[in-house]
Amino acid sequence: MGSKTKFYADLMSFNSEVTGSCTLCSVRFPDEVRVRFLVDCGLFQERSNESLNKSLEFNPDSIDFVLVTHSHVDHIGRLPLLVKYGYRGPIYASNEVANHLMGPALSDCQAVIAASTAVKSVAPLYSEKDVSNVLHLTEGKDYFDEWSPHERIKVTFFQNAHVLGAVIIFVQIKYENDAINLLFTGDYNDKNSFFCARKLPERITSLPITIIEESTYGTTDSSECQPIFEERFKEVLSEYYNILLLAYSFGRTQEILYKLKCMQQSGSLPTDIPIYLDGKLGIKYTHIFPRLNISERTKDFLPENFHYVEKSARDELMSTRERKIIITSSGTGSFGPAQFYLPHFLPNKTAYVAFTGYTPRNTLGHRLQNTPDGTTLKVGGVVVTKRAKIEYFNEFSAHAKADVLVNFLKDFTNLKLVLINHGEPETKLAFAERVKREVNPKMIGILDRDYWFRVDQYGYVKSVTTKFG
Ligand SMILES: [Zn+2]
Ligand SMILES: [Zn+2]
């Protein structure tokens, strides 16, 4: 019996805010065997946290395997750094991520970092070779299959509608007749425009379990995100001439295209207004999308009068007086072709700009939200005065809202511990309070870079502050 106290898993997340997702789980078995694994190894994208990208908080040699929840760079963008610093173990992801999505995401991330470090005359964070080494170490797994990255650990990937290829990760750590059950939601959603995720089976929801749950929209309810885009778009068409839609390259861009197609079909968007897509990565994903696991009815998601834009054609496109809709990245406005288009749109009173996704602190999208009309600011190296109409839509979010996150937890009948992850610090706190009230799990904690949480087979033991070497 005495030895049982030594069977535990210590968990820490290195992301104190939304980006840089990386959770380290360190398991100690009663016979002193230790296993350590990572869930995600993402890039910090908040400018204030950029310096955190330069190093890893742990020794890469001490990691036995890595599990990947999905292909957003804030969840995979430091995998090449991990490999550069010596990691040679397996990286597991869904087949869609391993075979289609991780390559373009990491190559683009590497190129963006290399371009920005070149300006500052410093060495890039990692090379193309590091990216290709990551891809060699990555192994795709089917949804719903159980497999073992270690003889005492079983893993199952469940479908997650956050984005295509995303998974919820179930990890069962076994020792003799005992087990520690962990469930990582990753970034989570129950449905999206292209498919609905299946509910978790009862064999999982009835287990004594610890859930590591995201909380990006932990203070927002679904009722606050009514679909208003289509209605609003009709007004926008009559009030403004040119339209710029900022969207993440992967997922959001394709969702917006599909939305515009549906609006053309319902007659709320005239087909004589051309729709342009600019952004190498967005174009690449738009080509890949129909090959992925999406519902038949959405395979043909491109609207009429739709055109791709090459970088070399941008100036010409902006020089024509033709009315147009341009979709481009980055979704936050801080990078990519958005930096070219925004200086054209912002000073123009007849122009309309919409951010279709989450704009974290320190991004241009966030800054513009608090910038009054008539203010002069520098965007893409150009000084402009803000006059365009700017709006923000949260209905397309790939993240479940607080009520859906709470309902997700309510499905579990033997919930031992909930660890709140992936949110702005004050959102995590507020969401934790709500979970305490509405779900009432045995224990609740907030994951950040300051504390380790110790979980044993009976649930939560205590938080420990000592960092491991
Ligand atoms: Zn994500
Ligand atoms: Zn995320």
Side-chain angles (χ1 to χ4, degrees):
M1 280 301 281
S3 67
K4 276 189 178 175
T5 54
K6 278 197 192 163
F7 177 31
Y8 55 75
D10 286 318
L11 286 111
M12 179 187 272
S13 275
F14 299 105
N15 47 311
S16 53
E17 293 186 29
V18 175
T19 70
S21 267
C22 182
T23 302
L24 172 56
C25 181
S26 178
V27 186
R28 185 190 284 264
F29 291 96
D31 57 0
E32 295 301 317
V33 168
R34 291 187 74 159
V35 178
R36 283 174 160 205
F37 64 92
L38 291 181
V39 176
D40 293 335
C41 192
L43 196 76
F44 289 93
Q45 290 171 302
E46 294 99 354
R47 210 154 268 169
S48 53
N49 284 335
E50 249 173 29
S51 61
L52 298 172
N53 286 328
K54 293 191 187 115
S55 56
L56 295 164
E57 297 83 349
F58 45 82
N59 176 3
D61 290 338
S62 71
I63 305 297
D64 295 284
F65 59 93
V66 179
L67 306 172
V68 169
T69 62
H70 65 292
S71 63
H72 281 151
V73 290
D74 59 314
H75 291 255
I76 61 170
R78 280 196 301 167
L79 286 174
L81 195 70
L82 186 71
V83 168
K84 177 181 168 175
Y85 289 161
Y87 178 73
R88 290 293 176 270
I91 298 168
Y92 300 101
S94 70
N95 279 318
E96 287 172 309
V97 168
N99 303 331
H100 297 287
L101 303 170
M102 190 189 265
L106 287 182
S107 296
D108 181 72
C109 184
Q110 191 275 329
V112 170
I113 294 172
S116 76
T117 48
V119 174
K120 298 174 201 154
S121 302
V122 288
L125 206 52
Y126 46 76
S127 65
E128 286 171 44
K129 180 80 188 134
D130 297 319
V131 170
S132 77
N133 287 340
V134 168
L135 299 178
H136 278 120
L137 295 172
T138 303
E139 193 180 316
K141 292 286 180 189
D142 282 327
Y143 302 113
F144 312 112
D145 272 4
E146 186 181 80
W147 44 276
S148 295
H150 179 273
E151 56 184 357
R152 294 175 181 180
I153 299 181
K154 287 177 180 167
V155 174
T156 310
F157 285 165
F158 291 99
Q159 243 186 342
N160 174 348
H162 170 58
V163 282
L164 278 156
V167 290
I168 290 173
I169 302 178
F170 174 63
V171 180
Q172 184 163 61
I173 306 160
K174 284 199 140 179
Y175 185 75
E176 294 175 351
N177 293 323
D178 293 323
I180 295 172
N181 299 306
L182 305 172
L183 189 81
F184 298 84
T185 65
D187 290 357
Y188 172 72
N189 210 353
D190 55 342
K191 56 180 179 299
N192 63 40
S193 299
F194 296 98
F195 72 97
C196 287
R198 271 199 252 164
K199 273 200 151 207
L200 292 174
E202 210 200 316
R203 70 177 170 84
I204 303 292
T205 57
S206 60
L207 287 172
I209 201 163
T210 291
I211 298 184
I212 297 86
E213 189 176 54
E214 73 125 321
S215 61
T216 315
Y217 279 90
T219 50
T220 309
D221 266 343
S222 308
S223 58
E224 297 167 53
C225 304
Q226 290 305 322
I228 53 162
F229 182 80
E230 184 165 352
E231 271 313 299
R232 178 70 189 126
F233 214 80
K234 285 187 219 162
E235 295 162 9
V236 166
L237 283 172
S238 65
E239 291 169 36
Y240 302 96
Y241 191 70
N242 282 327
I243 294 167
L244 180 67
L245 302 174
L246 298 170
Y248 298 121
S249 308
F250 170 54
R252 186 61 39 81
T253 289
Q254 295 73 30
E255 193 177 359
I256 296 290
L257 287 170
Y258 180 54
K259 183 85 190 168
L260 296 179
K261 178 196 167 107
C262 294
M263 284 160 57
Q264 284 179 341
Q265 287 174 336
S266 69
S268 54
L269 174 64
T271 52
D272 61 350
I273 303 177
I275 298 166
Y276 294 96
L277 173 61
D278 193 352
K280 231 165 75 184
L281 200 57
I283 293 172
K284 192 177 255 177
Y285 284 127
T286 302
H287 289 312
I288 292 174
F289 235 62
R291 280 182 256 150
L292 303 177
N293 205 358
I294 60 178
S295 69
E296 257 335 291
R297 105 193 127 75
T298 60
K299 290 240 181 221
D300 183 14
F301 61 89
L302 296 180
E304 278 185 53
N305 202 355
F306 170 66
H307 315 271
Y308 295 108
V309 183
E310 297 270 326
K311 189 177 178 184
S312 57
R314 280 176 198 162
D315 283 320
E316 196 190 326
L317 179 65
M318 286 318 295
S319 68
T320 65
R321 289 192 47 79
E322 148 201 80
R323 187 174 202 193
K324 49 193 156 300
I325 297 169
I326 299 173
I327 303 166
T328 197
S329 55
S330 70
T332 63
S334 296
F335 308 99
Q339 291 272 302
F340 168 83
Y341 289 106
L342 280 167
H344 283 92
F345 276 74
L346 288 177
N348 193 339
K349 259 189 144 158
T350 65
Y352 175 83
V353 177
F355 288 85
T356 62
Y358 187 66
T359 49
R361 259 178 230 172
N362 295 316
T363 62
L364 179 61
H366 190 270
R367 193 147 59 90
L368 283 171
Q369 201 160 14
N370 303 309
T371 304
D373 279 354
T375 307
T376 299
L377 70 164
K378 201 170 176 182
V379 178
V382 183
V383 176
V384 293
T385 303
K386 180 194 160 194
R387 289 201 190 87
K389 179 75 180 168
I390 302 181
E391 289 189 326
Y392 296 79
F393 291 89
N394 57 16
E395 69 189 78
F396 299 107
S397 172
H399 295 267
K401 306 302 176 296
D403 51 320
V404 176
L405 292 171
V406 162
N407 284 337
F408 177 87
L409 295 176
K410 281 181 178 167
D411 278 345
F412 293 83
T413 51
N414 199 357
L415 198 48
K416 295 292 181 194
L417 165 67
V418 176
L419 293 173
I420 308 295
N421 198 14
H422 198 288
E424 307 280 1
E426 56 274 28
T427 307
K428 286 199 277 197
L429 268 174
F431 183 62
E433 285 303 319
R434 180 162 176 181
V435 170
K436 240 189 260 177
R437 264 191 333 266
E438 294 183 29
V439 186
N440 196 18
K442 262 183 121 176
M443 294 298 294
I444 188 153
I446 290 171
L447 271 183
D448 62 27
R449 51 193 309 118
D450 297 329
Y451 293 98
W452 287 93
F453 278 92
R454 184 157 292 178
V455 183
D456 73 0
Q457 64 271 42
Y458 310 108
Y460 166 84
V461 181
K462 62 174 179 176
S463 69
V464 282
T465 50
T466 43
K467 293 201 177 190
F468 294 100

